[in-house]
Amino acid sequence: MLRGVEARCDRAARREADPVGFVHQYQSLADQEIVALLASCFAFGNVKALRAKIADVLRRLGPSPAESLEDAARTKRALRGFKHRLYDERHVAALLLGARRLQRRDGSLGAALVGAFAGANGELVPALVEWVGAMRRLGGLDRLSGNGAAHILPNPEGGGANKRLMLLLRWMVRPADGVDLGLWPLPPSALVVPLDVHLHKLGRNLGLVTRKAPGWKSALELTRSLAAIDPADPTRFDFPLCHLGMVQDCPSCRDPVRCEGCGVRPICRHWAEN
Ligand code: SF4
């Protein structure tokens, strides 16, 4: 059933309405990494609004964001006055300068993560703690005040689902399929689904998650359920599921009007029960 949902997903059309669409507009690995990090860190709330803000940052940085970030003073001037929800110009500048400095230190963000992954014996969370910590230190995020400094690139051990980090990893690690780019040489089997409240609700409706809170343990549980279908690449189903169309409006009950046309209705527990 999930393979059918995957087969019916119009990836090209959906990609353009998704933050990952920005990453496909750049050619060099350095630019793609910077843009993917930016887009994933902004990936919460209204998608139209967040895409407009990502576009604003990219316009300010010019045709090659990675090149622009070579000049910290110029970057800070370019971002002057920028504001998006919890983030202000200081948070965005520190995030991106930290990323660029890590690229220069290790060759690429992907190489830095691969090194951290090896150093953590293939354990994802400790590797991310090391990788995120390096970026935060190099960019000075740790020295900034305000909730935006913690939220823009949070500690992966915080207990939350790490949705935005998992989204970034899915984009950069999963094999290229028109949406994900397959740029970082890590095993897709190590990835965890980018869980948010909508995907959590859908996972519960499909009997793939039993936990009630949409945190890290639920993300692991959903990933394990999907790994039963494809152990080598469990997060392959994330994009098609999140673009089902009614995910945001799912009533989580048997509602003939609102469930009309739902692609997973045949396996939804609300329709299986009498
Ligand atoms: S059939 Fe209805 S309740 Fe079930 S997942 Fe689809 S929209 Fe949600």
Side-chain angles (χ1 to χ4, degrees), residues 44-221:
F44 63 101
N46 178 278
V47 73
K48 239 180 164 176
L50 69 90
R51 277 181 53 88
K53 289 295 181 174
I54 295 166
D56 183 15
V57 173
L58 294 176
R59 185 186 50 73
R60 289 165 182 252
L61 293 177
S64 172
E67 240 173 65
S68 292
L69 292 165
E70 289 293 323
D71 185 337
R74 195 177 122 206
T75 297
K76 287 174 186 171
R77 272 198 310 277
L79 292 171
R80 199 168 286 159
F82 180 82
K83 185 102 182 80
H84 176 55
R85 300 187 67 164
L86 295 172
Y87 310 156
D88 64 29
E89 60 195 70
R90 300 166 308 144
H91 305 131
V92 179
L95 170 78
L96 298 181
L97 289 170
R100 183 63 188 142
R101 288 167 188 158
L102 188 57
Q103 285 181 327
R104 279 206 303 270
R105 191 190 81 178
D106 289 7
S108 68
L109 295 184
L113 184 58
V114 168
F117 196 69
N121 297 318
E123 291 282 332
L124 185 61
V125 173
L128 288 171
V129 168
E130 166 66 27
W131 188 70
V132 162
M135 241 182 303
R136 290 184 60 89
R137 278 192 305 278
L138 290 168
L141 261 176
D142 286 338
R143 296 191 298 275
L144 292 179
S145 58
N147 291 337
H151 188 268
I152 201 164
L153 189 61
N155 174 7
E157 285 183 311
N162 287 315
K163 182 234 170 178
R164 291 171 294 139
L165 262 180
M166 296 307 112
L167 191 58
L168 173 63
L169 262 57
R170 199 204 82 207
W171 294 346
M172 302 304 271
V173 172
R174 278 207 65 253
D177 63 0
V179 173
D180 300 323
L181 295 104
L183 296 171
W184 292 349
L186 287 169
S189 58
L191 300 182
V192 175
V193 286
L195 189 76
D196 63 10
V197 288
H198 304 296
L199 185 61
H200 177 250
K201 187 164 71 169
L202 184 65
R204 281 176 56 82
N205 289 339
L206 301 187
L208 300 170
V209 186
T210 56
R211 288 179 177 275
K212 289 188 178 155
W216 181 243
K217 287 181 178 172
S218 286
L220 291 175
E221 186 187 2

Side-chain angles (χ1 to χ4, degrees), residues 201-202 205-206 244 246-247 249-255 258-271:
K201 187 164 71 169
L202 184 65
N205 289 339
L206 301 187
L244 264 175
M246 68 285 302
V247 165
D249 300 322
C250 165
S252 275
C253 64
R254 192 172 176 138
D255 182 326
R258 291 171 68 191
C259 295
E260 175 68 30
C262 175
V264 291
R265 198 164 93 170
I267 52 171
C268 174
R269 67 189 168 100
H270 299 295
W271 287 86

